[in-house]
Amino acid sequence: MISVVLPAYNEKDNIVPAIKEISEVLKTSGEDYELVFVSDGSSDGTYDEILKASGEDPHVKGAEFSRNFGKEAAIFAGLSLAIGDAVIVMDCDLQHPVSAIPEMIEKWRGGAEVVEGIKKSRGKEGIFHRMFAGMFYGIMSGLTKIDMKASSDFKLLDRKAVDALLELPESNTFFRALTFWIGFKSDKVYYEVEERRSGKSKWSFKSLVSYAIKNATSFSTLPLKMITTMGWVFIIFALILGVQTLVKFFSGTAADGFTTVILLQLIIGGFVMLSLGIAGHYIARIYDEVKGRPRFIIRNTTGRLFKNTEE
Ligand code: UDP
Ligand code: MG
């Protein structure tokens, strides 16, 4: 059986088209399937749509969060509710083309345990968004040593990979990178990002920046180590400057060092604050993890949901 996990935040008008298009593709490929919608604290009646659909179609099941927990949480909730032998994660605004599904399944049948959806182009995005995304993925690829520029949350995971992901204890997850981290035999499917079917994107510049910081700090400790490196560079710099100052002092030419002092003040002050800030982000992550709160809270579920109620 194939499960399709669809995180949905205020996607009322996209639920029915998503069900229709995905079902069509899965039916023609002859697979048994289920569609797992997770309404991420939607306020526009998305869950009512899911509820209605699950009443009409036994393939549809759904869960509703008690509030908005974010797409990561919605994906993980979907993974934990899915019972398929393979799970496909895709956006329910249909920006991830359903036409790529048969190829994904084929690669999975051929032995791939993780099939990554790779964007051929980034679709229609604002220049600002594009620049920022480029920067973020450039940095993330460097930090994680994984090429993530074109990667997306559109993936097929074998049951083994899903279980491995669900076993990770951390609450700050980064789905896109974790599917690389868990290993397994992976393959790629290339796709063209489509236009959002209805409604508009949930990302603001602010939410993108916080997403970037959160993921960078939850996936890499390199920035933290960079603080130490920066410290060393400054100590060496200070030593050279110190020697020079002393030489000048003893040769009696010491004089207008004012500019240097001010510059050093500013530069060192800046780096100290930056370093504290970076360390602070990690402390915040640690704090989040230590609290051990669940990634999400489910208010309602619908459809034949849990593994043990399957029979
Ligand atoms: N989404 C979610 N929770 C959120 C934000 C988004 O579940 O807090 C879902 C959304 O419903 C969609 C997918 O994540 O199915 C991608 O979101 P969106 O289309 O807004 O992002 P974009 O495609 O512009 O990157
Ligand atoms: Mg979208």
Side-chain angles (χ1 to χ4, degrees), residues 55-97:
E56 289 160 7
D57 183 346
H59 294 285
V60 177
K61 63 192 203 184
E64 180 192 33
F65 283 175
S66 59
R67 65 167 169 88
N68 181 253
F69 278 91
K71 187 183 178 188
E72 283 290 315
I75 291 175
F76 273 83
L79 291 180
S80 67
L81 296 171
I83 58 170
D85 305 301
V87 180
I88 296 171
V89 175
M90 62 192 292
D91 288 358
C92 82
D93 56 8
L94 292 170
Q95 282 192 286
H96 296 155

Side-chain angles (χ1 to χ4, degrees), residues 3-259:
S3 302
V4 182
V5 165
L6 300 123
Y9 178 46
N10 291 347
E11 305 277 7
K12 183 168 155 269
D13 299 327
N14 288 324
I15 303 294
V16 171
I19 294 173
K20 192 171 155 280
E21 295 192 22
I22 299 169
S23 304
E24 248 164 48
V25 168
L26 288 170
K27 265 181 200 144
T28 46
S29 76
E31 312 280 345
D32 187 16
Y33 68 95
E34 60 167 4
L35 307 180
V36 187
F37 286 92
V38 180
S39 169
D40 183 11
S42 306
S43 53
D44 68 342
T46 297
Y47 189 66
D48 297 330
E49 283 293 315
I50 299 169
L51 212 58
K52 209 167 87 200
S54 82
E56 289 160 7
D57 183 346
H59 294 285
V60 177
K61 63 192 203 184
E64 180 192 33
F65 283 175
S66 59
R67 65 167 169 88
N68 181 253
F69 278 91
K71 187 183 178 188
E72 283 290 315
I75 291 175
F76 273 83
L79 291 180
S80 67
L81 296 171
I83 58 170
D85 305 301
V87 180
I88 296 171
V89 175
M90 62 192 292
D91 288 358
C92 82
D93 56 8
L94 292 170
Q95 282 192 286
H96 296 155
V98 292
S99 52
I101 291 178
E103 201 186 335
M104 282 184 154
I105 295 176
E106 204 179 292
K107 297 227 154 130
W108 170 62
R109 291 246 178 263
E113 291 154 319
V114 175
V115 184
E116 305 280 348
I118 306 285
K119 292 173 199 159
K120 268 191 238 162
S121 65
R122 294 195 57 95
K124 285 205 179 68
E125 284 173 342
I127 172 138
F128 213 42
H129 189 131
R130 190 185 297 263
M131 254 169 51
F132 186 77
M135 225 166 67
F136 171 61
Y137 285 111
I139 294 170
M140 280 306 284
S141 304
L143 292 180
T144 56
K145 312 276 181 295
I146 295 165
D147 181 22
M148 294 207 296
K149 270 240 160 81
S151 80
S152 67
D153 290 333
F154 186 26
K155 297 171 198 287
L156 179 147
L157 305 170
D158 182 74
R159 172 51 50 193
K160 272 180 279 183
V162 173
D163 289 342
L165 280 178
L166 290 175
E167 256 173 46
L168 299 175
E170 68 252 47
S171 51
N172 284 299
T173 50
F174 185 27
F175 179 67
R176 203 169 292 191
L178 285 174
T179 56
F180 291 94
W181 184 87
I182 54 170
F184 291 111
K185 233 184 295 161
S186 83
D187 207 336
K188 292 178 183 142
V189 162
Y190 293 88
Y191 73 92
E192 209 68 69
V193 180
E194 297 199 6
E195 289 277 339
R196 176 173 250 287
R197 212 46 76 83
S198 115
K200 56 182 196 309
S201 175
K202 312 297 179 305
W203 293 105
S204 63
F205 183 67
K206 195 170 153 252
S207 66
L208 270 178
V209 171
S210 86
Y211 179 74
I213 293 176
K214 214 175 145 175
N215 288 325
T217 53
S218 75
F219 214 83
S220 167
T221 50
L222 196 67
L224 213 47
K225 291 170 192 147
M226 266 159 42
I227 297 177
T228 329
T229 316
M230 240 149 58
W232 279 116
V233 170
F234 271 87
I235 287 169
I236 292 166
F237 184 58
L239 276 176
I240 296 170
L241 214 72
V243 170
Q244 193 228 24
T245 313
L246 282 177
V247 168
K248 273 195 168 174
F249 180 76
F250 286 116
S251 63
T253 52
D256 45 347
F258 191 68
T259 333

